[in-house]
Amino acid sequence: MMKVRRPRGTNDILPAETSNWQLIEAKIREICYRFGYQEIRTPIFEHTELFQRGIGETTDIVEKEMYTFLDRGRRSITLRPEGTASVVRAFIENKLYAAPLPAKLYYLGPMFRYEKPQAGRYRQFYQFGVEAIGSLDPVLDVEMIMLPIELYKECGLSNFDVHINSLGCPECRPQYRQALQERFMQIKDRFCKNCQARITRNPLRVLDCKSTKCQELAEGIPLITEYLCQECRTHFEQVIEYLNQLNMDYVLDPKLVRGFDYYTKTVFEIIVPTLGAQNAIGGGGRYDGLVEEIGGESLPAVGFAVGLDRLMLSLNQQDASVFPQINPEVYIAHFGGATKKMAVSLINELRKTGLWIEMDYLDRSLRAQMKSADRLNCNWVIIIGEDELAANAVKIRRMDTGSEDEVGMDAVIEYLMKHREENSNK
RNA sequence: GUGGGUAUAGCUCAGUUGGUUAGAGCGCCAGGUUGUGGCCCUGGAGGUCGCCGGUUCAAAUCCGGUUACUCACCCCA
């Protein structure tokens, strides 16, 4: 029989890891609550057109990375490659603009891009994202930077850098773009192959080419910040002022460009330098034209997304101790005669305390059961043998010290609660 | 999509110029202890050597293809 394996670029997240994911997800919900963002759940697939219009026809994502197929009604459907377009669509479709603005929303879940997999880059990956729709206030831009940073910090991540830039707006960016293009065109053949293509397609990208040759050629080139229109300039200055006021660390990075067409004004990216090539664990920016583009009225908006797989990678890389070890509280060992029946009754009672209780399901020797309890890192083992059965009592063993008490059946919960308390007070 | 590397037990890895029954450590199971974990000792289970084809008397080993993983590029979270 042929072995069925998981599709390329997908991952099984196993029990050893899921508890970590749950912890991060809980942290996300907690922080969103404090910042006043509420969860929105949109479909995992949408009409293809949404992403074509939203993300931009000429972006890599739309050109070659979408999971697109025809459904049985011959509609073109696409698995979502990012979250913003869907959120904006849902915002318009459900008329959330009738509620007080800005709408403050967050989402959490899988995204899909048909890419060649690498560490930190998968075909199904997980993002947490936040969007604030309906305000131009630079305070929101700053909030979008603070929120993910808060998440990273509370997860115990320390070595990351925040890069920010402004990409201008439809007023000023085209002028800069043209200026760059004209300048580069004169010396086009001296650039690397990639950059020669970039010059016609997206000249801003030439600026962050990794080739030192291109870096040198691009030296002394005017920066976008010098081309910003008055409105964009003021907006950017205010963002920076607020960041300073709040003592946030950041790097002004005039070469920062992002991949979606919809970004305007503020863009930012959060980098973990030790992560390798896929080192951005979060990023976002303002998208003042997108709501209108998707068919709503003209409303400014700003948002970000965090790559949870990459966050998990960097946490494991640095210090996995942020994740508490979880283990059963009690293991019930039984052997012989009717002791199993007693164990079943006892486990049923003990579980009402809310603690994690385990027992032996394989009718193994006491020795084997002790070994299991040890491997599971149980704090206590309750031993029920024939003698205990006869005395209507159990032995309760502390696994760390090895000390053991005989306790009457009626007093087991009381005994455990009392000694757990003493232990945690130490 | 482009280029490089890798693929042997659940995990980490040995395996000589191609040679007979493919090994180790850890983990797992059982026993040493007829009722007690960690340390120690003994034994056991577990492999179509990623897959397909070729060369050869003979392939884990050489060759081709393929799939997966991995690193870099493109790009992105």
Side-chain angles (χ1 to χ4, degrees), chain A residues 158-211:
Chain A
S158 53
N159 66 330
F160 55 83
D161 302 317
V162 182
H163 291 241
I164 75 167
N165 190 20
S166 174
L167 291 182
C169 64
E171 292 294 313
C172 50
R173 180 161 47 183
Q175 288 177 39
Y176 177 63
R177 187 192 150 104
Q178 198 185 344
L180 267 190
Q181 208 162 38
E182 280 167 9
R183 189 106 173 229
F184 289 151
M185 279 309 261
Q186 294 167 7
I187 47 170
K188 184 173 176 181
D189 45 326
R190 289 165 62 191
F191 283 97
C192 73
K193 226 180 188 173
N194 278 329
C195 282
Q196 296 194 15
R198 284 170 176 144
I199 287 169
T200 42
R201 197 171 139 171
N202 189 351
L204 278 69
R205 284 237 168 257
V206 176
L207 297 175
D208 67 351
C209 179
K210 280 158 189 140
S211 142

Side-chain angles (χ1 to χ4, degrees), chain A residues 107-360:
Chain A
Y107 59 86
L108 182 59
M111 304 291 164
F112 305 85
R113 292 182 202 169
Y114 191 91
E115 296 193 86
K116 191 151 173 178
Q118 257 178 264
R121 176 157 69 198
Y122 312 111
R123 290 184 175 179
Q124 174 170 339
F125 60 103
Y126 296 85
Q127 278 191 340
F128 151 59
V130 166
E131 318 287 353
I133 306 171
S135 166
L136 200 49
D137 196 331
V139 171
L140 281 174
D141 302 41
V142 171
E143 216 165 79
M144 290 301 156
I145 298 172
M146 287 170 59
L147 200 156
I149 288 179
E150 191 58 29
L151 174 66
Y152 301 144
K153 283 186 179 162
E154 289 189 26
C155 288
L157 193 72
S158 53
N159 66 330
F160 55 83
D161 302 317
V162 182
H163 291 241
I164 75 167
N165 190 20
S166 174
L167 291 182
C169 64
E171 292 294 313
C172 50
R173 180 161 47 183
Q175 288 177 39
Y176 177 63
R177 187 192 150 104
Q178 198 185 344
L180 267 190
Q181 208 162 38
E182 280 167 9
R183 189 106 173 229
F184 289 151
M185 279 309 261
Q186 294 167 7
I187 47 170
K188 184 173 176 181
D189 45 326
R190 289 165 62 191
F191 283 97
C192 73
K193 226 180 188 173
N194 278 329
C195 282
Q196 296 194 15
R198 284 170 176 144
I199 287 169
T200 42
R201 197 171 139 171
N202 189 351
L204 278 69
R205 284 237 168 257
V206 176
L207 297 175
D208 67 351
C209 179
K210 280 158 189 140
S211 142
T212 48
K213 190 176 65 178
C214 297
Q215 293 278 11
E216 282 167 23
L217 289 172
E219 226 160 87
I221 287 293
L223 299 170
I224 186 156
T225 33
E226 299 165 32
Y227 273 76
L228 293 179
C229 64
Q230 191 55 53
E231 187 196 324
C232 287
R233 186 184 305 271
T234 309
H235 186 90
F236 194 42
E237 282 166 1
Q238 286 177 315
V239 169
I240 288 170
E241 252 175 62
Y242 284 125
L243 285 175
N244 290 341
Q245 181 192 322
L246 298 176
N247 295 316
M248 304 286 291
D249 285 328
Y250 60 87
V251 181
L252 284 180
D253 183 356
K255 294 176 178 179
L256 176 64
V257 183
R258 293 182 52 79
F260 302 154
D261 286 354
Y262 56 61
Y263 283 116
T264 55
K265 296 196 172 73
T266 317
V267 290
F268 62 93
E269 216 162 74
I270 300 154
I271 307 289
V272 174
T274 53
L275 216 46
Q278 270 60 52
N279 61 2
I281 55 169
R286 192 159 265 292
Y287 49 95
D288 293 336
L290 184 62
V291 181
E292 192 174 13
E293 175 66 36
I294 291 180
E297 53 187 307
S298 173
L299 281 175
V302 61
F304 72 83
V306 167
L308 296 181
D309 314 75
R310 290 181 188 178
L311 175 57
M312 202 62 80
L313 277 178
S314 30
L315 288 176
N316 288 334
Q317 192 183 63
Q318 299 189 11
D319 182 12
S321 68
V322 294
F323 301 118
Q325 193 71 33
I326 60 169
N327 56 276
E329 189 69 23
V330 177
Y331 188 99
I332 301 179
H334 58 88
F335 52 106
T339 57
K340 191 172 187 177
K341 286 191 171 166
M342 192 169 172
V344 170
S345 295
L346 185 57
I347 200 168
N348 193 50
E349 281 309 304
L350 285 184
R351 281 175 174 159
K352 292 174 184 166
T353 62
L355 298 173
W356 179 3
I357 318 292
E358 283 293 339
M359 65 175 277
D360 172 71

